[in-house]
Amino acid sequence: MSDVQQLHETLISLMKKHKVKELSRECAPECKVLHIPNGKPLLIKRHSIDEQERNNCVEAYFEIGEASLLNKGIADLIEHIMEEPLYDELRTNQQLGYHVSCSTRWNENIVGFLVKVVSATHSPDSIWECIRLFLKSFFETSIKSLKKDREKYREHIETLAELKLADSVNMDEESGALWTEIYQGDCEFHRHVGEAAILSHITPSMVIEAYKKLIHPSSPDVKCLLVFLYGQGSSKTEPKLSNEIDEDNVLKRSIEVKNPQQDIHNGQFHYYSKVYAKEVKL
């Protein structure tokens, strides 16, 4: 008997022993996700827990759209193209901080794109300004040129597909991917194959239009959520900022919604219920 089969039988035995039963859909917890409105970025400001923390952090999250292989593929391709230039410009040239990264997000059936910078020398507002200017210049220097240099674009597609089809580095990486599928409720255990296959159907025009509409800071359709974390030990002062989310109040109001199918609207916040698949407007 293999280790996997033995583990499976052990789990089944324990579930029977403790009379573990599958929860009904009615018992599933309701999960609400902030649906970011178009236009000016929304902002959450927080101070670090550690009073001696000298680093500041900015996370700029851009909503791409509903979860699909196509949206995920476009976001992954943008990440693949941007990763090195982003690090070279903000980390090496501008020396903002030791951590500079971009990544694709797939949370609660929403695909997003995240740019993150951690810095001990710049305030969050300065970091965001550098990110914003980079995203604008990157569109002009790299994204718009995808149509012209078809050979380079093909290399991006092939390299990314190879990375997705590569074997897991270790058991921890593989099990983490499998448990993510279980947690999300999709159980698409061979998702990486589909993600690799969809890349061949993504054209340069699709990437250009997606970036221009969903990530470019000047786009009227951009949906951006900014998280500014201020290190309490940082010498940088907190600037006066507008259009800020009172996150605690938002969460309280979201909990108070009794009927997820009820349409409640105050003109600013939107939530999606994963359980009922209906939009809830607060």
Side-chain angles (χ1 to χ4, degrees):
M1 181 184 297
S2 68
D3 291 341
V4 175
Q5 291 174 325
Q6 186 175 356
L7 177 60
H8 179 263
E9 291 193 2
T10 300
L11 290 174
I12 295 298
S13 176
L14 288 172
M15 292 175 68
K16 290 180 178 179
K17 178 180 178 180
H18 296 283
K19 299 180 179 179
V20 177
K21 297 181 179 179
E22 182 180 356
L23 286 175
S24 65
R25 187 170 180 80
E26 290 72 23
C27 295
E30 183 181 343
C31 183
K32 296 185 176 69
V33 179
L34 179 64
H35 178 61
I36 308 166
N38 302 66
K40 189 175 181 180
L42 296 179
L43 177 64
I44 295 176
K45 296 188 297 182
R46 288 292 180 268
H47 289 285
S48 65
I49 297 175
D50 185 359
E51 295 182 356
Q52 305 301 318
E53 179 62 66
R54 297 183 57 199
N55 292 307
N56 298 309
C57 176
V58 171
E59 289 193 353
Y61 174 87
F62 300 87
E63 184 177 304
I64 302 301
E66 294 184 2
S68 68
L69 287 179
L70 181 60
N71 283 338
K72 177 69 161 48
I74 291 174
D76 284 341
L77 190 53
I78 292 174
E79 175 191 347
H80 179 72
I81 298 171
M82 181 189 293
E83 185 176 22
E84 186 174 337
L86 176 71
Y87 187 89
D88 288 344
E89 178 59 29
L90 299 189
R91 173 67 178 89
T92 305
N93 296 337
Q94 299 188 32
Q95 298 186 348
L96 288 188
Y98 63 89
H99 182 98
V100 174
S101 66
C102 62
S103 58
T104 301
R105 289 289 186 264
W106 181 308
N107 302 104
E108 305 299 344
N109 293 322
I110 297 293
V111 174
F113 187 79
L114 182 74
V115 178
K116 179 178 180 179
V117 176
V118 178
S119 174
T121 58
H122 292 68
S123 64
D125 59 316
S126 297
I127 296 172
W128 166 236
E129 181 64 12
C130 293
I131 293 174
R132 190 182 67 84
L133 292 176
F134 171 82
L135 293 176
K136 292 179 69 174
S137 65
F138 185 73
F139 177 74
E140 299 296 331
T141 59
S142 299
I143 297 298
K144 287 176 68 175
S145 63
L146 293 177
K147 277 186 177 181
K148 300 178 181 178
D149 194 343
R150 293 298 183 117
E151 182 62 26
K152 188 174 182 179
Y153 181 78
R154 184 181 63 81
E155 291 178 1
H156 284 307
I157 294 291
E158 292 178 352
T159 302
L160 184 55
E162 289 177 1
L163 289 173
K164 288 187 173 295
L165 294 175
D167 294 335
S168 299
V169 177
N170 49 50
M171 289 291 292
D172 183 65
E173 181 179 281
E174 184 171 1
S175 62
L178 297 177
W179 275 113
T180 298
E181 292 294 334
I182 295 172
Y183 170 77
Q184 295 283 10
D186 298 325
C187 296
E188 295 287 346
F189 299 117
H190 299 287
R191 184 186 301 276
H192 61 290
V193 177
E195 290 182 354
I198 198 67
L199 294 174
S200 62
H201 299 280
I202 299 175
T203 65
S205 296
M206 294 167 68
V207 178
I208 293 171
E209 289 305 312
Y211 189 102
K212 184 178 181 180
K213 179 180 180 180
L214 303 173
I215 297 178
H216 197 292
S218 300
S219 170
D221 297 313
V222 70
K223 297 180 179 182
C224 178
L225 176 66
L226 297 176
V227 179
F228 283 12
L229 179 64
Y230 294 84
Q232 292 197 52
S234 173
S235 60
K236 304 301 178 181
T237 57
E238 180 179 340
K240 299 294 183 181
L241 296 165
S242 59
N243 205 26
E244 180 184 354
I245 296 177
D246 183 352
E247 187 180 18
D248 294 332
N249 190 34
V250 170
L251 292 176
K252 288 178 182 177
R253 283 184 291 168
S254 70
I255 293 171
E256 291 171 358
V257 176
K258 304 300 182 182
N259 180 7
Q261 299 186 37
Q262 184 178 358
D263 185 13
I264 307 172
H265 180 53
N266 74 352
Q268 189 172 10
F269 301 109
H270 303 260
Y271 284 83
Y272 286 98
S273 166
K274 183 178 180 182
V275 174
Y276 294 91
K278 294 289 184 179
E279 181 179 2
V280 178
K281 299 177 181 179
L282 294 178

